[in-house]
Amino acid sequence: MLIKNIEQRIKINKIVSIASIAFASFIVIAGFFFAFRMIQDSRKSIYILDNGVPVLAKQTDVLLNRPVEYKAQIELFHRLFFTLAPDDDYIKENIQKSLYLIDDSGKKEYTNLKEKGFYNQIVASSSMVSIHTDSIALDMEKQKFQFFGKQMITRKSSVISRKLITEGFFEDIIRSPNNPHGVLLKNWRIINNEELSHQTKNSY
């Protein structure tokens, strides 16, 4: 009887010891986990000095804002490429800025329009060209985009409205002063630029 009691106590002591070790291990692992999370959260906290007073600012995950930057880059390229004035220097400056945001497909389209005399017509007719962005569709899996908008050509005697639908691909590159979003548009092409309306201005 005495031996059985001793064996039971030894078993109970083993169980208690193992349970204590397991619980202590759990506490240590949980402590490391929470400490790691706190360090990560602290790295996302940035303090900005405002007149000598530290103000807490939260650092957001870059990936969360990436689709917004893709759309901003696409909109910026189209605005630079299609916003034109009857001024050769202005046209060249806008086109040059836009070509930093795109691969050779942008230069090919520019050359194509130039050979057709599009830019000469803008200057000769004192026209203003602008665009309005309707929407931008992104396919994040294929890294593909479609741009939907309208192109307005304002002349002295008329206003022409044209549909503008383009498509292409995008990829991440290193950010630079000429490409602050770090996005390069690729294989871009115009798929629809049909005329929507042609309104004659009243002349008095």
Side-chain angles (χ1 to χ4, degrees), residues 36-196:
F36 178 73
R37 289 293 299 272
M38 289 178 65
I39 291 171
Q40 277 192 323
D41 291 339
S42 67
R43 286 177 177 175
K44 292 182 180 179
S45 299
I46 302 172
Y47 286 90
I48 302 172
L49 290 177
D50 183 13
N51 294 324
V53 179
V55 178
L56 179 64
K58 280 289 184 181
Q59 182 182 8
T60 58
D61 191 343
V62 174
L63 295 177
L64 294 177
N65 285 331
R66 207 56 179 146
V68 176
E69 289 191 294
Y70 292 144
K71 289 186 176 183
Q73 183 85 333
I74 294 164
E75 196 278 332
L76 175 61
F77 165 75
H78 286 80
R79 179 161 50 84
L80 289 171
F81 195 88
F82 290 104
T83 301
L84 307 170
D87 184 319
D88 285 326
D89 292 335
Y90 180 86
I91 292 173
K92 289 177 181 177
E93 183 180 353
N94 264 19
I95 294 297
Q96 187 62 40
K97 288 179 181 178
S98 71
L99 294 182
Y100 284 115
L101 313 178
I102 196 169
D103 68 355
D104 290 342
S105 58
K107 182 66 179 293
K108 289 177 182 177
E109 187 60 39
Y110 167 66
T111 302
N112 181 42
L113 292 173
K114 190 175 182 180
E115 289 176 352
K116 289 181 178 179
F118 175 72
Y119 300 106
N120 289 335
Q121 291 176 13
I122 296 297
V123 176
S125 61
S126 297
S127 301
M128 293 290 296
V129 182
S130 60
I131 65 164
H132 171 75
T133 303
D134 291 328
S135 63
I136 298 172
L138 296 180
D139 186 334
M140 297 300 293
E141 186 176 346
K142 295 180 180 178
Q143 290 194 305
K144 185 177 181 180
F145 73 86
Q146 278 195 318
F147 174 92
F148 301 90
K150 293 183 181 66
Q151 184 181 28
M152 303 295 295
I153 303 175
T154 305
R155 296 173 178 170
K156 290 181 179 179
S157 59
S158 63
V159 177
I160 301 171
S161 175
R162 305 182 71 93
K163 182 184 293 185
L164 181 62
I165 301 177
T166 73
E167 67 177 14
F169 297 84
F170 55 87
E171 70 174 16
D172 296 328
I173 61 171
I174 297 174
R175 298 173 190 263
S176 69
N178 292 317
N179 194 326
H181 293 298
V183 182
L184 184 69
L185 307 185
K186 301 174 63 179
N187 301 326
W188 173 72
R189 66 190 184 102
I190 299 172
I191 59 177
N192 193 331
N193 193 215
E194 66 181 16
E195 186 174 307
L196 295 174

